[in-house]
Amino acid sequence: MSFLKKTWVLWTVWGLGSLLAGGALAGILFVGGPRSMMLIGETTSAHKQFELACESCHTTGIVENLTKSPKKLQKAMTKACLTCHKDEKKVSNDSHPTKKFRGAKGAKLRAALNAQQCGTCHMEHTPEITRANAVTLPRDLCSACHQEIGEERATHKGLGFETCASSGCHNFHDNTALYESLLVKNSGGDWLKASPVHAHIAHGRAVPLLFASLSDQDPIKALEDFVADLPESSKEQGAIDKLAKLVDEDKILKAGDAIAPAAYVTADAVGKWSSSAHALNGVNCGACHAPDVAQSTDLSELEQNWIEEPGLTVCADCHREQAKTFTYGKHGMSLHPKISKPRKPPTDNPLLAAVFLFEDQPVPPFKVGDSYLAPKMHKEAHGRELGSCGTCHKPHDVDLKDAAVESCVGCHDDTHTRNYFKSPHYEAWQAELAGNAEPGSGVTCADCHMPKIEGRGGDVFTTHNQNAYFRPNEKMIRPVCMSCHSLDFSIDALADPNLVENNFNGRPAVHIESIDWALSRER
């Protein structure tokens, strides 16, 4: 009897403990609290910054998960993916848009590969089968729909389906630098152009020099002198008109116009600010450091509202495109507007008072050392927080050369980065800095990974989404490589892993036949 009684007590304790543990886990899952224990597997590197903000991707609740069909749940997940990736798909001119798989015509394709759902090819929390570009299907995925390609095209006869996505051949979504008519049109030509200058970058590099010259007593005269000294190639690119629009004599502020609490009016800060784009456009200290009282000249009021290091939201007031693209890239992804905010438990209900135990805390700032790439970063940089403009930029500096190179190598310590300083690109950059080459002829880290592009309104800006031109690396060809190199050379160079590793110090040792095949079909 005593044994049975003891067993009954143990079962009761076990049952109550299980209920409490299950209730606690359910509370953490659906109400609030730390979710790190809930991760069923590593997320992809791009998603690690917000992997505990589960609602960002899992938009369906417990009732929907129990009542909706798997097909509808997949649709909901795809919709969640597109909240962040929709613009990127538009820019890439998607080679396999969902409309290709719709209706009765696409039924056969859907049966082979349902590419209407992101999860078909990109399954999260499965690091053991995840390859580059977060693809979780086998390399021969193209065989599902293109089984007859070897018979249709003689150039493809005998090729394995695992080679389709080889660098320089095909990408599932983005073929903007690899489609046939482009290959034919741009075949041939010298590997290095006679005037290797990136037009947008040339203009961007000329502007800081202009700003520096405008610290003179007569800024309009300085502008005229500056334009007169521009190289002919810059004049042909319409630089004169663009630069002239930057100057409004009524807006220009000088060093003596700085309005800030005495503690912050240092010779270094004011000196750099007075020759910057901010001073040129009439932006005084308070606009960034005390935006709530930006127009005030009361120093005590400014001091009371002073922000020592303004965050992204302040910078975004003027630098909208830069800030927007920053939240799409790995440096600022945790700040993307579609990332779910901390959950608020219903503590106003006395019956649910215990849920305060599950109150969510904001996702902590993501640090360099938290990244999967931490082993390829300088150890002293592991404590740096991502998500702030000031991490890379010195806001009072007129010259962006530190942000273009020094900020990058301050964190990154991989072979490709270290070899930059032995590369022809670095030599060209040094020649430009020394004044021995025209603006836009040097190549920095930012020029390749965060190039200057045209926005929707036609304005040129530096994209801060380095992901957009990183994987697959052929995305760099049109906005970056072809400004200085031929298409043939660009494809071969990016397809040579050893050349990429040594930062393009040499010539490609591989040859991709895509252009040759396109020309043979043309003939």
Side-chain angles (χ1 to χ4, degrees), residues 105-248:
K105 189 176 180 180
K108 185 177 180 180
L109 296 176
R110 289 198 304 274
L113 185 75
N114 186 9
Q116 288 185 310
Q117 311 299 341
C118 301
T120 301
C121 300
H122 307 283
M123 190 184 300
E124 266 291 1
H125 303 293
T126 54
E128 65 280 359
I129 60 171
T130 301
R131 299 186 287 106
N133 303 318
V135 177
T136 51
L137 284 182
R139 293 180 184 275
D140 63 350
L141 63 93
C142 302
S143 63
C145 301
H146 299 280
Q147 294 178 8
E148 310 300 325
I149 192 66
E151 299 174 13
E152 295 171 358
R153 299 195 179 193
T155 55
H156 288 54
K157 188 175 182 178
L159 296 178
F161 281 104
E162 76 284 354
T163 67
C164 301
S166 298
S167 186
C169 290
H170 300 286
N171 297 318
F172 187 87
H173 290 295
D174 189 348
N175 284 289
T176 51
L178 300 172
Y179 60 89
E180 277 195 46
S181 59
L182 180 82
L183 298 178
V184 172
K185 180 180 177 181
N186 291 278
S187 62
D190 294 334
W191 74 277
L192 182 65
K193 295 183 179 180
S195 179
V197 171
H198 192 296
H200 294 333
I201 292 172
H203 169 63
R205 298 258 176 82
V207 171
L209 300 175
L210 167 65
F211 293 160
S213 71
L214 290 173
S215 61
D216 198 348
Q217 292 300 314
D218 186 350
I220 301 303
K221 177 65 166 56
L223 172 64
E224 293 173 350
D225 293 342
F226 180 84
V227 169
D229 292 336
L230 281 175
E232 288 301 318
S233 59
S234 294
K235 292 178 182 178
E236 291 170 4
Q237 292 152 10
I240 296 176
D241 292 336
K242 291 180 179 179
L243 293 174
K245 289 178 182 178
L246 292 171
V247 180
D248 183 342

